[in-house]
Amino acid sequence: MNLFMPKQAFFEKDTLAYPLGQKLHQTMTANNIPIKILGPGNRIGNYFGNTSFEKYIEAKKSLVVGVRKNLKLTTCKPSADWEFPLASSCPGGCQYCYLQTHLGKRPFVKVYVNIDEILNKIKTIADENVPQITSFEAASTSDPLASEHLTGSLAQTITFFGTLTHGRMRVVSKFNNIDSLLNLPHNQHTRFRFSLNTPKIIKELEYNTPQLPARIKAASQMAQAGYPLGFIIAPLFIYSDYQTDYRQLFETLAQTLEPIPADLTFELITHRFTKAAKNVILERFPDTPLELDETKRGRKYGKYGLVKYIYPKEEYQELRETISSLVSTFFPQATISYFT
Ligand code: SF4
């Protein structure tokens, strides 16, 4: 699929003082992308269409270049000790994406230019925790690979982690433009995971993302380049033929992944939603095939008492047994890091 090139770009004024801000400005200019320099307060205003769907689609075609002001990191369980942002949102349009609600009316693709400041903060945290190894998740607010051809931030960050004795990075992506990452001195300090799902789910719910074979090919190339590798199968959905489809997914993966690393990991996440997410999704995608019926779900209480609607106990258990058994059948040497 084509690499992301925005339809319009917004620059916070301060970003032009940073080399990455200048580089992005030059790239946008060279590609004749309309540019707006934001005024005080960095308000973007009503640039994004009329209906909720139009606003969402237009915003996803827009790039915002910003300076990350809040450098305080937050925890990121069960994936890592901490999470940090290189970007927020991505050009993909996955209907179930938790960023639909997390980013609310700001689903535009935003990249940060003060990468050195963000990396300094990471080094401080990792150094303070020596002799423990500290892990950092780079993809909890975005898919950073989706904008990598414009920024190069992920390559810089992988190289940086390669030099850290007690810091490790974790990245997850659905994208496949990994060529610029293959020859970096990563020192095996970055675990790259690819997010996979059945072809039916990719077709129906993961708009504007690469297809399954492209993701598996990228995963093989990253494993050949010596990166520790993993897969996130998420969200896991229950539907009429789900057992057949997930079996087929694992079969395809086992037949085409080359090599299969000895320390391969799987992270398995079942579908869940909140009331707020349901409202946003139905407003943006009124005809969504996503099943969002609270009466068919159990409840789980998240942070601040927030209710998440998860699969009921018996269905959850059956899903867990199905997927865990597929992992042990097709990848007996792999580890399931967590199932949630
Ligand atoms: S690729 Fe990831 S970050 Fe982007 S929309 Fe899909 S789930 Fe969200």
Side-chain angles (χ1 to χ4, degrees):
M1 62 178 279
N2 292 336
L3 294 175
F4 170 63
M5 186 53 75
K7 204 174 142 188
Q8 53 193 347
F10 301 88
F11 283 73
E12 292 177 7
K13 204 170 170 200
D14 296 354
T15 58
L16 298 173
Y18 291 81
L20 179 52
Q22 291 160 13
K23 173 179 137 175
L24 287 164
H25 193 275
Q26 281 161 12
T27 306
M28 295 302 117
T29 307
N31 285 280
N32 298 319
I33 307 299
I35 291 173
K36 180 170 170 60
I37 307 293
L38 297 172
N42 296 318
R43 289 180 62 81
I44 294 178
N46 297 322
Y47 282 92
F48 301 134
N50 299 315
T51 66
S52 186
F53 178 72
E54 265 177 35
K55 284 188 170 109
Y56 173 74
I57 295 295
E58 280 301 296
K60 283 270 181 174
K61 291 179 186 164
S62 305
L63 178 72
V64 177
V65 181
V67 176
R68 179 75 184 182
K69 305 250 167 20
N70 180 6
L71 295 176
K72 197 164 177 271
L73 304 194
T74 51
T75 55
C76 185
K77 296 294 178 191
S79 163
D81 296 315
W82 300 97
E83 62 182 58
F84 69 98
L86 296 173
S88 64
S89 191
C90 94
C94 305
Q95 294 189 15
Y96 55 73
C97 180
Y98 96 106
L99 297 173
Q100 301 272 10
T101 31
H102 188 70
L103 297 174
K105 297 192 188 324
R106 304 183 311 281
F108 41 74
V109 182
K110 184 168 187 178
V111 296
Y112 296 111
V113 295
N114 52 333
I115 304 300
D116 290 341
E117 291 163 24
I118 295 168
L119 299 185
N120 280 341
K121 179 72 187 179
I122 287 168
K123 182 164 178 7
T124 304
I125 292 176
D127 285 351
E128 281 170 3
N129 201 27
V130 170
Q132 307 295 324
I133 299 285
T134 310
S135 57
F136 297 84
E137 170 66 63
S140 53
T141 57
S142 71
D143 189 318
L145 190 53
S147 49
E148 177 63 8
H149 56 293
L150 299 174
T151 63
S153 300
L154 194 52
Q156 181 186 348
T157 307
I158 289 171
T159 304
F160 161 80
F161 269 93
T163 68
L164 286 189
T165 53
H166 289 77
R168 300 289 181 270
M169 175 157 71
R170 295 163 62 71
V171 189
V172 58
S173 183
K174 287 184 171 70
F175 287 79
N176 64 330
N177 48 310
I178 38 78
D179 288 0
S180 63
L181 310 181
L182 294 176
N183 294 318
L184 298 175
H186 57 77
N187 215 7
Q188 298 186 318
H189 288 182
T190 292
R191 179 170 291 273
F192 219 98
R193 298 107 87 217
F194 286 85
S195 170
L196 306 181
N197 221 312
T198 66
K200 171 186 159 68
I201 298 299
I202 293 175
K203 182 165 176 252
E204 291 181 0
L205 297 173
E206 298 184 352
Y207 170 75
N208 211 21
T209 62
Q211 297 299 302
L212 182 62
R215 297 184 202 177
I216 299 177
K217 185 177 172 203
S220 296
Q221 288 175 284
M222 291 300 270
Q224 284 157 19
Y227 283 88
L229 185 72
F231 292 102
I232 295 192
I233 318 281
L236 290 161
F237 286 104
I238 295 178
Y239 53 90
S240 56
D241 288 329
Y242 87 88
Q243 287 168 322
T244 314
D245 283 4
Y246 281 109
R247 185 175 184 87
Q248 182 68 54
L249 167 64
F250 274 89
E251 226 169 62
T252 305
L253 185 58
Q255 281 165 4
T256 50
L257 182 67
E258 175 60 41
I260 297 178
D263 67 341
L264 186 66
T265 57
F266 282 92
E267 294 158 72
L268 306 166
I269 306 171
T270 59
H271 180 242
R272 71 256 344 261
F273 61 92
T274 61
K275 189 91 183 155
K278 175 177 174 171
N279 292 340
V280 175
I281 293 166
L282 290 182
E283 202 183 309
R284 287 181 180 159
F285 313 102
D287 300 323
T288 181
L290 258 182
E291 183 270 295
L292 296 167
D293 184 350
E294 298 92 327
T295 63
K296 293 185 179 161
R297 297 295 185 108
R299 289 164 169 243
K300 184 176 179 175
Y301 292 89
K303 262 188 200 170
Y304 318 114
L306 190 73
V307 178
K308 290 182 183 172
Y309 295 97
I310 56 172
Y311 286 117
K313 218 170 178 181
E314 278 181 16
E315 291 177 34
Y316 177 92
Q317 202 46 39
E318 186 184 88
L319 181 56
R320 181 177 193 142
E321 279 162 21
T322 302
I323 304 298
S324 305
S325 128
L326 289 172
V327 173
S328 54
T329 302
F330 289 100
F331 298 96
Q333 77 287 30
T335 306
I336 296 178
S337 304
Y338 56 86
F339 184 104
T340 181

